[in-house]
Amino acid sequence: MKTYATYFQNDSAKPLCYGEINLINPKRKKLRGLEEKEGIPATPVFCGFCGTDMELMRMGERGDLTPKFPDGEKRLINGHEGVVWVPSENRFAIVLIRGGDSYDPTRYTEDETYFEYGCDRADGIFCDKGYFHPDMLLHLPKEYDGITKLPLSLAKKLVFSDPYACAVFQHERMCDIGEAQNWRVVMAREKCDEASARKTAISETFSRTVIFGLGTTGLFIGDQIRRNHPEAKILFVARSSEDSDKAIFVKQKLNADYLSSGGMNEEETASAIIARIGGTATVFVGTSGANVEHRIAFDNCVLGCNGIYNSFSLGPKVAFDTMPFGFKNHVIFASINFTEKHMKEAIEILAKSCFDELVELIDKDEFTADPIDAYVNKIYAKGAPLKTAVVWNKNFIDMER
C-alpha cells in the first residue's frame, strides 16, 4: 500500500521529506511470550511533534539513522504522539508506541529487542495511512465510545499521552527508589515499624523537589508529583521569564514555584534554588537537556544527603566527585520508558485535564510544504509553543469543540 507521509532519511541536505512512499507491514511482537501479529490499517487524525523528532532529523543530517530504519528500508516515517482512527473497529485509538521481544518495556536486558513506532525500526503516524499492531491501539475513555468526530480540545490533550505516560512511570520509579533509599533512616529517626517507615520515606522523597527545565516532560512529572503528594514543595527552574506562559501555567495549575535562572551564573542559580525551597533538594529531576543540570545538583551542592538525581534529559553527560557523592549517599537513576498500564492511566488523566491550553497548531499544508523549515523556524525555534501539533485529517476532527 502506498501513502503520503513525512519521513526521515540519511541525507545531509534533506534528512526530512514529504512524499509518497510504500508502506510495509511486518509481523511484530507486543511483549515476550505473545504471538507476532501483522498490523491493521489505521488513519492518523491528529499528530504532535516531540523533541525526539528533531534529534532524529539531526541524526539523518549526520548519516546516523540506519539503525533506526525498519528492516530493509532506508527511511522511517516519523511521529509517535497523537490519535488515529481504526476503520475496522469504528473507533479512535492511541498508539502504544513501544513493544518488542521483552518482558517489560521499561526494563530491557541484553537478550531482548524492542521497536518504537516513529522512533526505532517501526513507521510512525505522520502519514495518511499506516499499519499498527492490533493489540497496541489503546481505547479512549469510555465516555467517548461511539464518537466519529474527535473534539479538537480532546485531541490536543491526548497528544500528550506518550510524555505523560513517561511521567507516570517516573513518579512510580521515584517512589520505589525513595522508599528503598530512606525507609531505614526514617525507622531509626521515628522509632516506628517498617511499614510506617516505608510510607513516610515515599512522601519525604518529594519534600523539596527541584525540576530543572520546563518542557513537557518536566511539566508532567511535576503534575504527577502534585497529584500524588499535595504537600510536596515543587520548584521549577528554567531560563524563561517569570511572566512567560509556561511559568504562569505551573504556578497556577500545578501550585508550584518557579525560578527564572536567566542572567544567573551556576553558583547564583544554586544559591537561589536552596533559598527558594528552604534547604537542599530531596529529589532533583533534570529535564533541560543541558549539562548545567548535574553541575547545579552536585558541584553546587543543591542535591541534599540521601537525595535522588533523576536524569531524564537526553544528551547531557552526568559527572560527580566520588568523595562527596559516596558520603552524601546519593542515588542517580535514568529510565525513559513506560508500560501499557502507564499509558492507559495517562489517557484517563489527560482527558479530564486542561493541558489542551498548551498546544498550538501548525497548518498541515504549511508543514508538508517544507517540513525542515517548519521544524527549525517554527516548531522548535526559540519562543516556540510548549507543544505544536497538526490536524492530519480534518474529516475526523470537530474543530468547534
Side-chain angles (χ1 to χ4, degrees):
M1 181 169 72
K2 291 181 179 293
T3 192
Y4 281 88
T6 59
Y7 56 92
F8 294 120
Q9 60 182 2
N10 284 323
D11 190 308
S12 59
K14 295 191 69 176
L16 177 62
C17 299
Y18 175 74
E20 188 178 42
I21 61 171
N22 287 312
L23 284 175
I24 58 171
N25 191 19
K27 289 186 176 181
R28 301 189 187 279
K29 190 178 293 188
K30 179 181 175 182
L31 287 173
R32 178 165 287 195
L34 301 180
E35 65 175 300
E36 292 184 334
K37 294 184 179 181
E38 287 187 347
I40 62 174
T43 303
V45 172
F46 192 82
C47 308
F49 299 89
C50 172
T52 302
D53 299 334
M54 186 67 166
E55 178 57 29
L56 289 169
M57 189 178 80
R58 296 305 186 204
M59 290 176 67
E61 285 182 331
R62 301 191 301 267
D64 295 338
L65 272 182
T66 299
K68 300 289 187 182
F69 295 144
D71 290 345
E73 300 296 319
K74 295 183 179 180
R75 90 293 176 278
L76 171 70
I77 298 175
N78 60 307
H80 57 276
E81 298 180 357
V83 186
V84 302
W85 172 257
V86 187
S88 61
E89 300 178 11
N90 291 312
R91 69 176 179 93
F92 293 101
I94 304 294
V95 180
L96 178 65
I97 70 160
R98 205 178 286 263
D101 188 23
S102 62
Y103 293 111
D104 181 348
T106 69
R107 303 284 195 282
Y108 297 118
T109 59
E110 287 77 5
D111 68 333
E112 296 181 345
T113 59
Y114 70 96
F115 68 89
E116 295 178 341
Y117 287 113
C119 297
D120 214 323
R121 298 187 290 278
D123 287 329
I125 66 172
F126 275 92
C127 53
D128 292 348
K129 293 181 180 180
Y131 291 108
F132 304 95
H133 192 296
D135 300 333
M136 297 175 69
L137 292 167
L138 304 184
H139 286 258
L140 272 58
K142 287 187 177 298
E143 56 264 38
Y144 298 104
D145 286 351
I147 65 170
T148 56
K149 277 188 175 283
L150 188 69
L152 178 61
S153 60
L154 179 62
K156 287 182 175 182
K157 296 172 185 177
L158 294 177
V159 80
F160 291 119
S161 297
D162 175 292
Y164 201 96
C166 285
V168 175
F169 172 59
Q170 291 299 306
H171 172 255
E172 180 181 276
R173 286 279 280 154
M174 286 187 284
C175 287
D176 291 346
I177 293 172
E179 177 184 358
Q181 169 80 336
N182 287 319
W183 73 266
R184 294 181 186 277
V185 176
V186 173
M187 188 167 67
R189 185 189 73 211
E190 302 295 328
K191 297 179 174 54
C192 60
D193 61 87
E194 180 178 332
S196 298
R198 287 182 176 275
K199 184 177 180 180
T200 300
I202 292 173
S203 177
E204 290 186 354
T205 296
F206 305 99
S207 294
R208 295 183 299 279
T209 299
V210 174
I211 300 175
F212 202 89
L214 192 48
T216 53
T217 52
L219 172 65
F220 294 150
I221 290 172
D223 186 67
Q224 268 292 289
I225 294 171
R226 176 57 71 222
R227 287 173 183 269
N228 290 281
H229 308 278
E231 303 304 316
K233 185 174 289 185
I234 304 172
L235 175 67
F236 284 87
V237 183
R239 299 188 65 84
S240 300
S241 66
E242 292 273 357
D243 59 356
S244 66
D245 291 341
K246 294 185 288 186
I248 292 171
F249 188 91
V250 299
K251 288 187 284 188
Q252 292 182 348
K253 306 295 187 180
L254 272 62
N255 191 27
D257 199 1
Y258 178 77
L259 173 67
S260 173
S261 61
M264 295 184 188
N265 61 33
E266 292 176 17
E267 293 79 10
E268 291 168 338
T269 300
S271 295
I273 292 171
I274 292 171
R276 190 70 70 88
I277 62 176
T280 52
T282 52
V283 62
F284 187 107
V285 186
T287 70
S288 73
N291 280 317
V292 67
E293 294 174 353
H294 73 90
R295 295 196 295 268
I296 294 291
F298 298 115
D299 296 351
N300 292 279
C301 303
V302 166
L303 185 62
C305 291
N306 306 308
I308 296 171
Y309 185 91
N310 182 351
S311 178
F312 198 76
S313 291
L314 292 176
K317 295 182 178 180
V318 177
F320 54 89
D321 185 337
T322 55
M323 180 69 79
F325 176 79
F327 279 96
K328 288 185 176 182
N329 199 35
H330 288 150
V331 169
I332 299 175
F333 85 93
S335 189
I336 303 176
N337 287 319
F338 55 85
T339 66
E340 182 176 346
K341 176 193 73 172
H342 300 125
M343 180 72 98
K344 288 180 174 177
E345 184 177 342
I347 291 169
E348 293 290 336
I349 291 172
L350 289 168
K352 296 177 175 64
S353 76
C354 60
F355 291 127
D356 53 312
E357 298 175 16
L358 302 173
V359 182
E360 295 188 18
L361 299 180
I362 184 173
D363 182 75
K364 181 185 177 183
D365 290 339
E366 178 186 357
F367 171 57
T368 58
D370 192 339
I372 294 176
D373 180 74
Y375 269 39
V376 174
N377 295 314
K378 186 166 185 177
I379 299 168
Y380 301 110
K382 184 178 180 180
L386 188 64
K387 190 68 166 182
T388 302
V390 57
V391 175
W392 200 263
N393 192 318
K394 292 183 178 179
N395 294 329
F396 292 95
I397 294 288
D398 183 347
M399 300 294 290
E400 303 302 320
R401 294 174 58 200

